[in-house]
Amino acid sequence: MELYKLGIKEAQDLIAKGEVTSTDLVKAVADRYRAKNGEIGAYLTFDEEAALKLAAANPTAVPVAIKDLINVAGQPCTCASKILKGYVSPYDATVVRNLKANGFIPCGRVNMDEFAMGSSTENSGLGVTRNPYDLTRVPGGSSGGSAAAVGGDLCLAALGTDTGGSIRQPASFCNCVGVKPSYGRVSRFGVTAFASSLDQVGPMTKTVEDAAILLKALAGHDEMDGTTPDEPVPDYAAELPRATLKGLKVGLPKEYFNVAGLDPEVKRITDAAVAACAAAGAEITEVSLPHTEYAMAVYYIIAPAEASANLARFDGVRYGHRSAAAKDVYSLYVKSRAEGFGPEVKRRIIMGTYVLSSGYYDAYYGRAQKVRTLITRDFDAAFGQVDVLLTPCAPTPAFRLGELQDPLTMYLNDLFTIPSALAGVCAASVPAGFTRAGLPVGVQFIGGAFREATLLKACKAFEDCVGTRDTLHKTEETK
Ligand code: GLN
């Protein structure tokens, strides 16, 4: 049996039957890493010895690949940036502690856009990741290593992070399920901050059930992250057998359809997803999120503003790279940062510093915050009418490596994922079909804040209806 192909639930069932152990799973993933990572580049590092040690101590645990901005004690944590090359984490992030306490172990560090800024993983300062479905194409980003690892069966499941779409867009590009939990559902303690009012950690998996199992393990109150309320975490997976599209109120936000730049094949697959839901008894209605057109502008003020503040800590003094050419403290800061950060990170820091500077703060940052409130109210109103929203996830399938040279074109990838991030609601990408060229495409379901149980049930019912990533891919191959 090819153990690396398993998902979480399948692995847990085999462990329960006594047919495999955690050690078998880690070894299978390590072999697969050696066979395939040279081609796909999903992992930056893979410490088999450390994973085997954890597996020996916990023989029923399932290995999970970790995005390289989440701290695991004793492992590198570079955020795919040269500025953190050589940095080793002194402690476990809360999500990693939660994993270990709930039958999972961290296994390997996966690539990403530097500090999670990007949509293709091409901004990684440490290596190229390729789409497992077409090696000439990107895996998406910023959680591109996570998506390529899951999509290419280089792991059983992975953790990603999503600030404006970084779990959902790569999941769509690589035929995975990706869930961005509601803001506050999962602790960020020990997760390198990009934009603190937006960042969330979430599961990237092979099935919806796996995402439900992994999210349950990750979620909950953490006294080390003041944004996590003390709300009970439902047993998401236990509710899935009751999932049905029959009578589910599904809203189609009209601003997300008939958008210039929406690829015709993505449109075809999204329309087919809507038709499948309707045929299965969902009540489809059109809704409006009237402030959608401002979301992109708001995000590219708020996210860089927060990033410019968060990234001030990388100054050559406390962490990572320190310039050898520094002569005094000022040149130490300037040269270490100039040498360590890549171009996109510098662009964000410059934009963020500008919008926060005195004289411009009210005009940019202050106004963006107000418009963000209007966007949040749009979602509140929509969830007064419907249970979930269904939309395209990304405007195109995976594009070619090097194809998008202009930063603005790259930013447009997140057109459909940014508004829900700003509103702090939960959302997921679920495999929905393949283009004629054989590229996977996901659709996005969006749920209300802390309504992950409803969201996951909708995703599961959809998956039951159209097929899982495996069956969708097999159908594709026999065409
Ligand atoms: N692509 C978006 C950006 O570059 C979102 C990134 C993310 O969600 N981390 O900011």
Side-chain angles (χ1 to χ4, degrees):
M1 194 194 317
E2 291 153 322
L3 294 180
Y4 59 84
K5 283 196 177 164
L6 297 175
I8 292 172
K9 181 64 170 55
E10 293 166 320
Q12 287 177 335
D13 288 348
L14 290 175
I15 290 169
K17 282 194 234 151
E19 288 175 20
V20 302
T21 64
S22 187
T23 302
D24 300 330
L25 296 172
V26 170
K27 283 188 174 157
V29 172
D31 286 343
R32 178 77 173 160
Y33 162 81
R34 280 186 283 272
K36 277 278 171 186
N37 200 56
E39 186 173 280
I40 295 179
Y43 290 92
L44 289 171
T45 58
F46 192 96
D47 186 343
E48 185 179 0
E49 211 182 296
L52 282 174
K53 238 186 228 165
L54 292 170
N58 192 349
T60 59
V62 174
V64 174
I66 308 290
K67 187 176 179 180
D68 195 41
L69 46 36
I70 299 171
N71 283 277
V72 175
Q75 296 289 310
C77 184
T78 65
C79 308
S81 180
K82 291 196 171 74
I83 210 161
L84 281 169
K85 217 172 169 183
Y87 178 77
V88 173
S89 302
Y91 68 99
D92 280 341
T94 298
V95 282
V96 173
R97 295 178 57 171
N98 288 350
L99 283 183
K100 289 179 179 170
N102 288 292
F104 297 95
I105 49 173
C107 184
R109 312 280 311 166
V110 282
N111 202 11
M112 55 185 283
D113 286 297
E114 184 177 8
F115 287 105
M117 297 171 190
S119 302
S120 66
T121 310
E122 292 168 295
N123 294 337
S124 169
L126 303 181
V128 177
T129 303
R130 294 170 188 277
N131 190 306
Y133 289 88
D134 178 344
L135 297 173
T136 68
R137 292 177 189 267
V138 303
S142 66
S143 308
S146 311
V150 175
D153 285 321
L154 277 81
C155 67
L156 286 76
L159 296 193
T161 60
D162 192 306
T163 301
S166 278
I167 287 177
R168 293 164 281 166
Q169 180 258 23
S172 172
F173 282 16
C174 294
N175 204 22
C176 326
V177 176
V179 179
K180 183 206 88 76
S182 311
Y183 186 72
R185 184 70 287 190
V186 176
S187 164
R188 285 93 42 83
F189 177 70
V191 181
T192 314
F194 162 12
S196 306
S197 75
L198 293 154
D199 300 340
Q200 273 295 294
V201 181
M204 300 179 71
T205 58
K206 298 179 186 180
T207 65
V208 174
E209 185 179 23
D210 284 1
I213 295 170
L214 194 48
L215 180 61
K216 165 84 177 154
L218 297 172
H221 172 64
D222 175 17
E223 60 179 27
M224 301 303 283
D225 179 348
T227 66
T228 56
D230 202 354
E231 294 245 357
V233 182
D235 188 346
Y236 300 119
E239 301 201 21
L240 295 183
R242 284 193 300 281
T244 175
L245 288 165
K246 212 171 165 47
L248 188 75
K249 293 199 181 90
V250 177
L252 308 179
K254 66 170 197 249
E255 292 79 7
Y256 287 57
F257 294 81
N258 298 321
V259 169
L262 180 61
D263 179 274
E265 294 240 61
V266 174
K267 176 151 175 29
R268 172 179 63 79
I269 291 166
T270 311
D271 288 346
V274 173
C277 291
E283 290 172 29
I284 312 279
T285 46
E286 189 179 274
V287 296
S288 177
L289 302 168
H291 298 92
T292 300
E293 63 175 304
Y294 306 110
M296 197 63 117
V298 166
Y299 175 85
Y300 276 100
I301 292 171
I302 291 177
E306 294 179 8
S308 72
N310 277 323
L311 269 55
R313 77 194 69 196
F314 304 108
D315 56 6
V317 177
R318 284 168 292 183
Y319 313 90
H321 175 72
R322 176 176 297 182
S323 174
K327 291 191 186 62
D328 51 26
V329 72
Y330 182 73
S331 70
L332 173 74
Y333 295 156
V334 171
K335 288 189 191 299
S336 301
R337 286 166 71 81
E339 291 165 14
F341 289 137
E344 183 62 29
V345 174
K346 287 178 184 162
R347 185 176 298 121
R348 304 284 176 112
I349 293 173
I350 292 167
M351 284 198 289
T353 311
Y354 177 77
V355 299
L356 290 176
S357 56
S358 84
Y360 294 105
Y361 184 97
D362 288 339
Y364 292 107
Y365 191 73
R367 278 185 92 189
Q369 292 290 21
K370 288 181 187 155
V371 180
R372 182 179 189 175
T373 303
L374 297 175
I375 291 168
T376 307
R377 286 188 194 149
D378 286 353
F379 280 94
D380 289 347
F383 288 119
Q385 295 168 259
V386 297
D387 301 312
V388 291
L389 302 170
L390 173 55
T391 81
C393 182
T396 67
F399 43 91
R400 291 213 155 73
L401 284 152
E403 184 177 335
L404 303 188
Q405 291 293 338
D406 160 34
L408 275 181
T409 324
M410 189 69 84
Y411 295 172
L412 286 173
N413 262 280
D414 302 307
L415 198 61
F416 302 127
T417 48
I418 277 179
S420 44
L422 289 167
V425 297
C426 58
S429 174
V430 190
F434 277 77
T435 67
R436 287 180 234 290
L439 298 173
V441 171
V443 292
Q444 176 175 234
F445 284 91
I446 307 175
F450 285 77
R451 294 285 156 78
E452 279 81 1
T454 305
L455 173 73
L456 287 162
K457 272 197 276 185
C459 294
K460 171 72 166 124
F462 177 74
E463 183 189 61
D464 287 344
C465 178
V466 303
T468 63
R469 49 123 36 194
D470 279 337
T471 55
L472 284 167
H473 192 214
K474 279 190 195 114
T475 320
E476 153 69 22
E477 279 176 336
T478 53
K479 253 195 247 161

